[in-house]
Structure formats: C-alpha cells, structure tokens
Amino acid sequence: MYRRLWRAISTLIVFGLLFVTPARAADPEIDKLLRSPVGKDWVTNGGNLTNNRYSTLKQIDTTNVGKLKGAWMTRLKGSGVGGKYSLEASPLVKDGIMYVVTGNDDVFAMNAKTGEMIWEYWSGIEQNISTVCCGWVNRGLAMGDGLIYLGQLDANVVALDMKTGKVAWKTPIEKWQNGYGVTSAPLYYDGMIYSGITGGEFGVRGRLTALDAKTGEIKWRWFTLPAPGEKGSETWPAGTDHSMRGGAAIWNTPAVDPELGLLYFAVGNCGPDYDGSMREGDNLFCTSMVALKAKTGEYAWHFQQVHHDIWDYDAASPVVLFDTVIDGQPRKGIAEAGRTGWVYILDRTNGKPLIGINEKPVPQEPRQKTAATQPIPVGDPVVPQCAEKIPGYDEAGCLYTPFWESPVLIQPSGIGGTNWSPMPYSPDTGYLYVPGTVRTSAFVRNSSQYTTGQRYTGGGQAAPIGSPMTGTFTAIDAKTNKIAWQTKTPYRVGGGGGSTVTAGGLVLRGEPDGNFLALDAKTGQELFRFQTGFGADAPPVVYEVDGEEFIAIAAGGNSMQGSAYGDAIWTFSLKGQLGPLWAPPAPATVAGPTGPIAAGVDAVKIGANNTEYSFAPARTRIKAGTTVSFTNVGDIPHDSTSLVQTDGWSTGVLTKGETKTVKFDKPGTYYYICSPHPWMYGQVIVE
C-alpha cells in the first residue's frame, strides 16, 4: 500500500515539475533566422550563429557593383563623436528597420530604406570611466524576444524594446570601478543572452555570462580563469591566487553550433600582460579558443594559441564556423584570426587541429618563465613574423622573441595581426578574409603591483618613432591555411573594421582613410571605391527591403587608428543617387607625433579639443632649463612617459584635471608616449 502510494506521489511530483517549469520558449522567428543562411535580414553581429558574415543576396554582384551609389546617409546626432570614441558596430536589420549602436553606447532605430529616425536610446553613461582600455567602443547589438540587447562600458547589459527604445531591463554583470566593462556585441540564442567582458589590462577575472533574455536574470557564468582545484588550475603557480587576477577577457561575440549544442568564443591575454615572471605555467584559458555546452556552460574543449602569453597576443576577433571537405571527408571547422598573424583552424567537434598545428621550440627567457614550445600552424601567416633592425635598439626579434628590462623589437606587435576585426568565410570560394596590421613594437617588462581597478600590465610596448605602420588584407584558403591572394594596404586595417562576403562574389570592407571598397572575392581585384568622409572602420552588412538590396557601413573613425571621427551611417544600392564626400585627413602611416612645432610653449594638455588620445601641442620647442607642465584635461587617466628609458622621466598617472611638471635641462629631442595608450606620441625639442 505504501509502495503504491509513494509511486503515485512520485508521479504527481514529476508531473508537477514538468507542468510548472516548462522549457522557456525562445523567439521562434529569430531562432530560425539565426540558424539559416543570411537573407534579407541581418539579425546578429556575425550575420547568423556561424559568425561567417556571408550574405546569400546577389542582386549586387561583380558585374554591376561599380554602379553603386549612396542610397542614404544619416548622421547619429553627434553621438560618439570625438577622438576618444570608435564607431565599429555592424548595424542589425529586421523587417525594414535598422538598429545601430555608437561608441557612447547610444542606440538608434531607423527606417532601413530611407534612413529616417524612428527612436533613440541615450545611455547617459558616465564620461569619467577610468578603466577603459583601448577607446570608447561598442561592437554591436543582438535581438530577440522583441528586444534589442547591448553591453555597456559600465559593465551593464541592457535590453530595449524594439518598437520604442524604452529600457526593458538592465543587469550589471560587474562593476566598472573594478576594471570591468563590455565592448563586444552580445549573442541571442534560444532565449539566452551571452556576453563577454573586458578588463584584461586591469587584473580582472574574465568570464562569459549567460542571462535570461526576457528578464535579464543571470543564469550562469563560466570563468576563463580557473579557481584552485578547477580544470586548468594546474597551469598556474600552485598555492597562489594569481589566476584570480589573470585577465583573460572576452572581446568578441560567440558562435553556436545548434546540432552539437556547443557555444564557441575566443579568450584574451593574461594579466599582467607583459610580465610572466610571477605566473609560471601555460596560464589557461588565456589566449585560447573555448567551447562550452550552450545551455549549461559546461566545459567541452579548448585550444590555446599562445602558451604563457607575455606579448599581449590575445585572441580578440570572433570565431567563425564553417563546413568543408578535407581529404574527401566532410568536416566541421572553426577558425579564429589571432594577433600572432596566424589563422587557427580546428575541428569544432573536439578542438583538434583540422589542418596541422605543430608545437615548436621557441627562444627562452628564464626570468619570464617562458613556455618551451608554441603552437605554429601549418600554412601562411598574414603578416611578417620578424622585425627589421631600427637604429637605437639593440635587438630585433621575431614572433616569440622574449624580453626583459631592455626594449626588444618584435613583429607582429601586440597590436598586430588581427585585433577585434571579424573575419568572414565564403562557402563559394572556401576562403577566409583576414585584415591585418603590420607594426613593429619595442617591448619591455617592468614590475607591476596589483590594485583593484588600476592598470596591471607589467610592462608595455610602443612602435618606435619613424617606424612604418601598414596593413594587409588576405584571402586564406580554409582547406590549406595558405594565402590565396593578398593585398598590401597603406594603413593598418587589423584594429577594427573587418569585412563581409556575398553570394554575388563580393568582399565588402572599409578603410581608415574613409573609403568603402568592394573586391572580387575570388581574386581580390578592386571593383568599387567610395569616399564616405569619415574613417570607415566598421564591418559592413547586407540586407533587402521591398526587393531592393542595400549595403550599409558605419563611418565614424577609430581612436586607435587615428582615423577621422564622425557619426555617419552610409547605405548603398544600385538605385542610389548620392555621391561621395571629400576625403578626411588620412591616418598616420609612420609612428610618431604629428602636426606643427609650437615654439616656446611650456604647457601640454592631454586629451584636449575632444581628442582624448592626444597631446596638444604634440610637438613643442623650448630652451634648455624650461619646466614643462602636463595637464590631463581628458576624461580618463593618462601619463607622459619618455620613450628612452635612460632619460627616466615620467609624470606618473594623471587623473582628470591633474598637472605634473618636468624640467628639461639638456639640449636634445625627447619623445614620449602615454604608457597606458601607447599610440599617443609627443615630442619636446630642447635648444
């Protein structure tokens, strides 16, 4: 009797649980679009769940792309205009409405056919966030369940009503004061929102956060840095808590394979970036590609691109999923373009190399606890792997040359290879399209003490004065990892931007000089060029409204590239009537300060004239014995530090409004940088 009663109660309990907690229904329409090839709508950052940025639209193709003109151009009301901001987001388009976010985390909805504004969301974000690494930027949005989602620099994830722009929910996933933020576009999938987090230069503990898409409730977190006893903890020094502040941020939008139930993403650099002396071991999961079970966050596999990274070679660009045939066998691939200049191509079912990747011995520096070997892919790198000797530097090295307290030249630099830029894949050509930066840096290590919310890099790097800064754009054959074709660019193109590929045989991309380009996907031949008037450093998107195909790109500049800032959304079509704008000032192609020399000026302002990452004047001439004042008038902390270590001068970190002075007694030419933002250059000529 009791057994029958217990069986009945158990049945009721199970039935009750099934009845009161059904699986939460996702957005069926968005879910279908995410799983399908990209057509008339562009509903997620990478086009669909693969991140392959491939559009099946082909009304615009290689035969008629030269007839494109501007269909409309809309300005985003001054949002994110200024030297501290970058405009790098891909717009989203659904049912004839376009949604785009700026570097100030402001969101705009527009008529995708006319550019007419429908609604605006102004973030009201604090302008004195001091833990921003590399410029104010937001790389895109997600959509689902009738909401638009974004991450903000203040480490909030926000959901907006698609029809009105009103805030539906806002969830903090950390505190920006502790070094955290969000710059990546989130991913909507199966009723969840997935978001990475920034802060690799501030001693954070990286993580992926999964939130309920309707409510904003945090469902689970997966930490990219293992706690003691967790998988990967054996790759950190035993008996220490170094991994708890080891960086490993996630800068990119994940991808998903619904059939495998796996979610994929790339993980950034370790902290402190340049000092490996106190973190002996491979330091998982820094600089790795990772797969988790999408529903639970349970670990599936990983592949580390750089063991014990001391060069800031973080894996920052989005992973790309693709299907291919190798040796007559169908294979499921995943690829990521690293800052090493290599593309890493794996089997996405298990994380094993799809094409060869061999562990090879590399140069050693025992004080840096360097790894004995590094994984070197079979195939071709997209940028040079060794630096050329430059006067004034004792050593010129290659990709894995270590360093200590004397500057060592290395190429690709930590801002080389591909950095944040998405890489599309075309099933028609079988090519991956990779933007690259070619830049030599002088690397140096120094001691760094951890303080919550303060920079924690353990050294730095900067391009030597007068050294060239150029780029490459490369088609890589995904079956061989070898170059199919490559073009050299006069500017760096790996620090933003990216491209999109279409069934019309086109590769679409912008350049920091303001030009929007269309190339033949098979050959790389340039077919179309249009001047947008602002730095075109965002990935384009392709969509259709009322049977007409459009191409859209955000043009507003990039703070690290130094390209011309603005707030424009350009769209193009075969029926367009708008012509190009005047070309803006071109970004620098040689490292060093620019502009006229100001005679007799003994006061330098940092962050003046709405250009956060600059010195004003950048070049000044004074007499020996003059004391020069450096005042931070920008929104975030800066310093002024000599590029020549034997000079030994630095203002130290200056908060907003703070001033420090330096006296220059000896004649000569003194170059300096802002060490947290080493793309800022200044010059003092002492007579």
Side-chain angles (χ1 to χ4, degrees):
M1 174 180 172
Y2 290 109
R3 186 175 298 171
R4 288 197 302 271
L5 179 61
W6 173 247
R7 188 177 298 142
I9 292 172
S10 300
T11 302
L12 286 171
I13 291 173
V14 171
F15 178 79
L17 288 173
L18 291 174
F19 180 76
V20 299
T21 58
R24 205 185 70 72
D27 185 325
E29 184 182 8
I30 294 295
D31 185 67
K32 181 180 179 180
L33 291 172
L34 289 171
R35 295 167 183 255
S36 303
V38 179
K40 72 180 186 67
D41 293 321
W42 192 282
V43 298
T44 191
N45 186 50
N48 61 14
L49 291 176
T50 67
N51 272 346
N52 68 16
R53 304 189 68 84
Y54 172 80
S55 170
T56 61
L57 299 184
K58 50 186 178 181
Q59 185 182 100
I60 303 169
D61 60 22
T62 56
T63 68
N64 59 20
V65 67
K67 300 177 182 178
L68 282 184
K69 286 190 176 181
W72 55 263
M73 189 269 278
T74 292
R75 305 293 294 271
L76 301 178
K77 302 191 174 182
S79 172
V81 173
K84 78 176 184 180
Y85 301 100
S86 298
L87 187 54
E88 292 183 23
S90 288
L92 302 187
V93 180
K94 176 73 168 61
D95 296 332
I97 300 177
M98 177 183 291
Y99 308 87
V100 68
V101 62
T102 71
N104 196 56
D105 295 332
D106 305 325
V107 182
F108 298 85
M110 294 168 283
N111 184 311
K113 189 172 183 177
T114 66
E116 180 184 0
M117 200 70 69
I118 297 173
W119 57 253
E120 307 158 20
Y121 163 76
W122 294 86
S123 66
I125 192 169
E126 296 180 54
Q127 296 298 302
N128 65 341
I129 295 177
S130 60
T131 53
V132 176
C133 158
C134 314
W136 281 53
V137 63
N138 188 310
R139 296 190 174 88
L141 304 164
M143 69 167 62
D145 287 333
L147 301 173
I148 291 290
Y149 306 92
L150 70 148
Q152 296 191 162
L153 278 172
D154 58 7
N156 280 291
V157 176
V158 181
L160 309 175
D161 186 289
M162 286 183 70
K163 294 181 178 179
T164 66
K166 302 297 183 184
V167 175
W169 54 257
K170 178 184 288 189
T171 300
I173 56 177
E174 249 294 352
K175 294 181 179 179
W176 72 258
Q177 292 87 348
N178 294 338
Y180 295 85
V182 181
T183 59
S184 58
L187 175 71
Y188 175 92
Y189 171 66
D190 198 23
M192 301 273 273
I193 289 295
Y194 301 95
S195 176
I197 205 157
T198 66
E201 285 64 49
F202 291 88
V204 303
R205 188 183 182 201
R207 71 205 60 177
L208 185 79
T209 302
L211 305 94
D212 185 289
K214 286 186 176 178
T215 67
E217 176 189 1
I218 294 176
K219 307 301 289 186
W220 52 260
R221 299 182 181 91
W222 189 82
F223 289 95
T224 56
L225 295 167
E230 294 180 349
K231 182 177 179 60
S233 60
E234 71 280 2
T235 66
W236 291 83
T240 73
D241 64 349
H242 287 308
S243 66
M244 296 298 96
R245 55 178 181 272
I250 300 172
W251 296 95
N252 47 83
T253 304
V256 172
D257 185 328
E259 292 182 2
L260 298 175
L262 296 180
L263 176 142
Y264 309 89
F265 54 91
V267 181
N269 58 279
C270 278
D273 306 39
Y274 308 101
D275 185 5
S277 63
M278 85 287 284
R279 50 177 173 86
E280 185 173 6
D282 282 351
N283 305 146
L284 291 175
F285 291 91
C286 300
T287 321
S288 298
M289 299 160 69
V290 174
L292 306 179
K293 293 183 179 179
K295 289 187 180 296
T296 64
E298 180 183 351
Y299 168 87
W301 60 255
H302 79 276
F303 179 87
Q304 190 173 50
Q305 297 177 1
V306 181
H307 310 315
H308 190 76
D309 179 18
I310 60 170
W311 302 272
D312 199 36
Y313 288 156
D314 55 336
S317 67
V319 299
V320 179
L321 310 186
F322 63 98
D323 295 333
T324 188
V325 176
I326 296 180
D327 296 329
Q329 298 296 317
R331 304 294 297 272
K332 291 180 174 290
I334 181 173
E336 201 269 344
R339 282 168 71 176
T340 59
W342 292 99
V343 177
Y344 298 84
I345 302 176
L346 311 176
D347 184 323
R348 69 176 181 269
T349 68
N350 55 25
K352 304 299 182 183
L354 196 59
I355 303 167
I357 300 179
N358 301 314
E359 289 285 340
K360 294 185 178 182
V362 292
Q364 297 295 295
E365 169 51 77
R367 292 172 294 184
Q368 281 277 35
K369 306 294 194 304
T370 43
T373 64
Q374 294 289 355
I376 308 296
V378 171
D380 300 323
V382 300
V383 295
Q385 298 289 288
C386 292
E388 296 182 1
K389 191 73 184 298
I390 294 176
Y393 292 87
D394 295 332
E395 185 177 353
C398 296
L399 179 63
Y400 289 116
T401 300
F403 54 92
W404 189 243
E405 293 178 348
S406 296
V408 175
L409 298 176
I410 302 175
Q411 187 177 19
S413 75
I415 312 179
T418 293
N419 182 21
W420 301 304
S421 302
M423 168 186 69
Y425 170 79
S426 169
D428 302 324
T429 63
Y431 297 162
L432 298 155
Y433 298 90
V434 192
T437 286
V438 181
R439 198 195 81 163
T440 299
S441 268
F443 284 74
V444 67
R445 174 263 176 203
N446 54 49
S447 297
S448 185
Q449 297 297 318
Y450 173 72
T451 302
T452 301
Q454 301 297 313
R455 289 188 69 85
Y456 180 59
T457 58
Q461 55 151 313
I465 300 296
S467 61
M469 300 187 297
T470 62
T472 60
F473 190 77
T474 308
I476 287 285
D477 189 322
K479 293 183 179 181
T480 63
N481 205 13
K482 292 186 177 181
I483 294 174
W485 55 259
Q486 183 179 76
T487 59
K488 303 293 177 65
T489 65
Y491 314 107
R492 297 166 288 161
V493 295
S499 59
T500 295
V501 64
T502 78
L506 301 172
V507 178
L508 308 167
R509 68 182 185 89
E511 289 205 331
D513 64 357
N515 280 300
F516 169 68
L517 309 179
L519 312 177
D520 186 304
K522 291 182 180 179
T523 66
Q525 178 186 356
E526 183 178 312
L527 303 174
F528 175 72
R529 175 177 291 255
F530 185 97
Q531 178 53 250
T532 68
F534 311 97
D537 300 289
V541 302
V542 184
Y543 63 95
E544 182 182 290
V545 181
D546 295 335
E548 183 178 3
E549 181 179 339
F550 294 86
I551 300 167
I553 186 170
N558 180 298
S559 63
M560 294 182 66
Q561 298 273 49
S563 52
Y565 54 79
D567 62 344
I569 303 296
W570 272 98
T571 65
F572 304 90
S573 77
L574 294 174
K575 298 178 181 178
Q577 300 295 318
L578 300 180
L581 299 181
W582 293 105
T589 58
V590 175
T594 59
I597 298 173
V601 176
D602 60 2
V604 175
K605 293 181 179 180
I606 310 173
N609 304 321
N610 201 28
T611 52
E612 182 77 36
Y613 300 103
S614 68
F615 299 101
R619 308 171 70 200
T620 184
R621 178 185 290 116
I622 59 173
K623 293 183 177 180
T626 300
T627 296
V628 176
S629 66
F630 295 86
T631 302
N632 183 4
V633 299
D635 290 325
I636 62 177
H638 295 286
D639 69 20
S640 300
T641 299
S642 173
L643 263 177
V644 181
Q645 292 220 318
T646 53
D647 291 344
W649 67 269
S650 176
T651 62
V653 175
L654 304 175
T655 58
K656 184 173 184 177
E658 191 174 5
T659 299
K660 292 288 179 65
T661 60
V662 177
K663 188 177 182 181
F664 294 87
D665 289 319
K666 297 180 180 180
T669 298
Y670 299 82
Y671 292 101
Y672 60 93
I673 61 171
C674 172
S675 55
H677 313 112
W679 58 92
M680 297 168 57
Y681 292 90
Q683 179 186 34
V684 177
I685 302 169
V686 181
E687 296 179 333

